């Protein structure tokens, strides 16, 4: 089992093989237009309320969606609470610091009051993440809905890339989920444009002689403090979803080794450079990659359920 210290973190709807079933079973834009017309606005209002008091919720929700989709697919299996009799994905070490569950709970409670057993927890996660990205200055984009909630949540299924994961291994992992190399760069480094890591996860990076000397000195100073201090992954605009982190990677200022390696590897360096020089292109590709990630192994119709409570199976 590999650990992940920070979120991975990641407009056109790409028909992914995982949901390319007969037309009635596909997730689609405006799925709740008739069954729950206020569904998307209810989620958006809840996210906006939390963002006003804590602008780090974007980092939390992007990470939550990544951790959910990359295990059993985008089925909200991450949200299930463990019990003394049965562990869940929440019990796995990489998910120990995932947060933001209360946002999903609040949205679910309001949606159940407005249109009971209609909107899935999996769709709430997708919508909430999308809305939080826009609030953090990132792109605004549409996401298809119609996912169902999964019926299994097993900690043994959790296997996620760590902070020093090799680029080649990352490419292979993303390809297994139907995502290409550009998607990988976009989602990993783009997701790291917000959020933090802890000093215990970057010791190897601090000892890298290629790291920018000014940044290295600053990190060494921060990490001398007790209690495993946190460090912004994007030193320039840590609360904004933008391309600044790619400029930092180009300047050998990537905080995580996995980020910095993408700036050096022949298979990913050109994408990093493109994003570093053009925020408009990054925003467009980030939106596209987020939509694509949200289609991983989705469940529809009879393949899943609509939970009444996102933390427990019906």
């Amino acid at each position: 089992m590999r650990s992940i210290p920070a979120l991975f973190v990641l407009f056109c709807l790409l028909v992914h093989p995982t949901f390319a079933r007969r037309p009635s079973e596909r997730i689609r834009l405006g799925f709740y237009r008739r069954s729950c017309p206020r569904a998307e606005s209810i989620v958006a209002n809840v996210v906006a309320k939390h963002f006003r008091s804590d602008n780090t919720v974007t980092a939390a929700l992007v990470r939550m969606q990544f951790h959910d989709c990359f295990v059993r697919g985008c089925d909200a299996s991450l949200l299930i609470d463990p019990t003394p009799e049965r562990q869940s994905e929440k019990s796995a070490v990489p998910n120990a610091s995932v947060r933001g569950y209360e946002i999903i709970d609040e949205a679910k409670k309001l949606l159940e009051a407005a249109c009971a057993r209609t909107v899935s927890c999996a769709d709430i996660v997708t919508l909430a993440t999308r809305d939080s990205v826009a609030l953090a200055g990132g792109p605004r984009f549409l996401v298809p809905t119609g996912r169902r909630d999964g019926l299994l949540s097993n900690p043994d299924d959790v296997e996620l890339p760590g902070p020093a994961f090799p680029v080649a291994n990352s490419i292979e992992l993303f390809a297994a989920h139907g995502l290409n190399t550009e998607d990988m760069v976009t989602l990993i480094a783009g997701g790291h444009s917000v959020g933090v890591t802890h000093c215990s996860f970057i010791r190897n990076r601090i000892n890298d002689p290629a790291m920018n000397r000014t940044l290295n000195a600053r990190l060494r100073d921060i990490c001398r403090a007790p209690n495993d201090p946190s460090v912004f992954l994007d030193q320039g605009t840590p609360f904004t979803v933008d391309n600044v982190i790619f400029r930092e990677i180009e300047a050998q200022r990537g905080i995580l080794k996995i980020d910095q390696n993408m700036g050096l590897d022949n298979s990913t360096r050109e994408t990093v450079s493109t994003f570093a020089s053009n925020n408009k292109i990054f925003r467009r590709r980030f939106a596209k990659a987020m939509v694509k990630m949200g289609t991983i192994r989705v469940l529809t119709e009879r393949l899943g359920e609509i939970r009444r409570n996102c933390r427990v199976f019906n």
Side-chain angles (χ1 to χ4, degrees):
M1 186 181 299
R2 303 182 182 94
S3 64
I4 179 173
L7 63 104
F8 272 98
V9 289
L10 234 214
F11 283 134
C12 63
L13 170 59
L14 302 176
V15 181
H16 192 276
T18 53
F19 67 91
R21 304 184 180 95
R22 70 177 188 267
S24 64
E25 291 185 336
R26 294 176 184 168
I27 59 176
R28 63 180 186 272
L29 298 177
F31 183 87
Y32 299 110
R33 188 172 292 119
R34 293 185 179 180
S35 60
C36 192
R38 294 179 52 237
E40 295 201 20
S41 63
I42 287 173
V43 174
N45 289 338
V46 170
V47 174
K49 185 189 80 170
H50 284 268
F51 185 86
R52 284 193 293 270
S53 60
D54 177 11
N55 63 357
T56 69
V57 299
T58 302
L61 290 171
V62 171
R63 186 181 184 201
M64 179 189 290
Q65 187 180 17
F66 178 85
H67 280 228
D68 183 48
C69 292
F70 264 64
V71 177
R72 298 192 59 84
C74 307
D75 65 350
S77 54
L78 173 62
L79 307 184
I80 295 296
D81 282 341
T83 67
E85 297 78 27
R86 181 182 59 201
Q87 297 297 292
S88 70
E89 289 176 29
K90 279 185 181 177
S91 311
V93 173
N95 292 328
S97 58
V98 174
R99 60 188 180 87
Y101 299 113
E102 72 284 355
I103 300 173
I104 309 303
D105 292 339
E106 184 176 337
K108 182 61 174 175
K109 182 177 180 180
L110 293 174
L111 286 165
E112 285 298 300
C115 30
R117 301 194 68 175
T118 301
V119 182
S120 69
C121 301
D123 276 343
I124 295 172
V125 171
T126 301
L127 291 168
T129 303
R130 184 270 308 268
D131 294 337
S132 74
V133 167
L135 289 169
R140 297 181 181 275
F141 53 96
L142 302 175
V143 293
T145 45
R147 298 165 186 78
R148 304 275 284 191
D149 298 322
L151 303 172
L152 294 171
S153 183
N154 186 344
D156 294 334
D157 293 334
V158 178
E159 186 174 355
L160 295 162
F165 211 53
V167 170
N169 295 65
S170 296
I171 291 173
E172 183 180 355
L173 175 64
F174 274 68
H177 292 292
L179 301 171
N180 61 35
T181 300
E182 182 183 279
D183 297 326
M184 181 203 75
V185 176
T186 308
L187 292 169
I188 291 181
H192 289 165
S193 64
V194 288
V196 301
T197 188
H198 288 272
C199 288
S200 57
F201 290 107
I202 59 172
R203 300 295 181 190
N204 62 337
R205 180 71 180 120
I206 292 175
N207 293 325
D208 185 349
M211 176 182 269
N212 176 276
R213 290 185 179 182
T214 302
L215 176 60
N216 188 276
R218 185 188 309 156
L219 292 180
R220 288 179 182 276
D221 186 55
I222 292 172
C223 292
R224 287 192 187 98
N227 303 319
D228 197 15
S230 61
V231 177
F232 286 120
L233 293 171
D234 179 338
Q235 296 288 296
T237 54
F239 302 108
T240 306
V241 177
D242 59 16
N243 70 331
V244 171
I245 192 168
F246 293 96
R247 299 179 199 166
E248 295 173 346
I249 291 171
E250 277 204 314
Q252 289 286 329
R253 295 171 61 90
I255 300 298
L256 294 178
K257 191 171 183 64
I258 191 170
D259 289 339
Q260 192 57 62
N261 283 348
M262 289 189 293
L264 300 172
D265 193 277
N266 289 334
S267 61
T268 51
R269 183 171 54 211
E270 184 176 348
T271 300
V272 169
S273 180
T274 298
F275 291 161
S277 62
N278 194 317
N279 191 46
K280 184 177 180 180
I281 292 177
F282 163 69
R283 287 167 60 86
R284 184 169 66 247
R285 303 283 175 82
F286 187 74
K288 177 180 176 181
M290 289 294 291
V291 172
K292 193 174 178 181
M293 182 177 72
T295 69
I296 296 174
R297 295 168 60 189
V298 296
L299 304 175
T300 57
E301 294 195 350
R302 293 176 297 278
L303 297 178
E305 65 179 8
I306 304 294
R307 291 184 209 143
R308 292 184 291 270
N309 178 341
C310 291
R311 292 175 179 263
V312 298
F313 300 117
N314 292 342

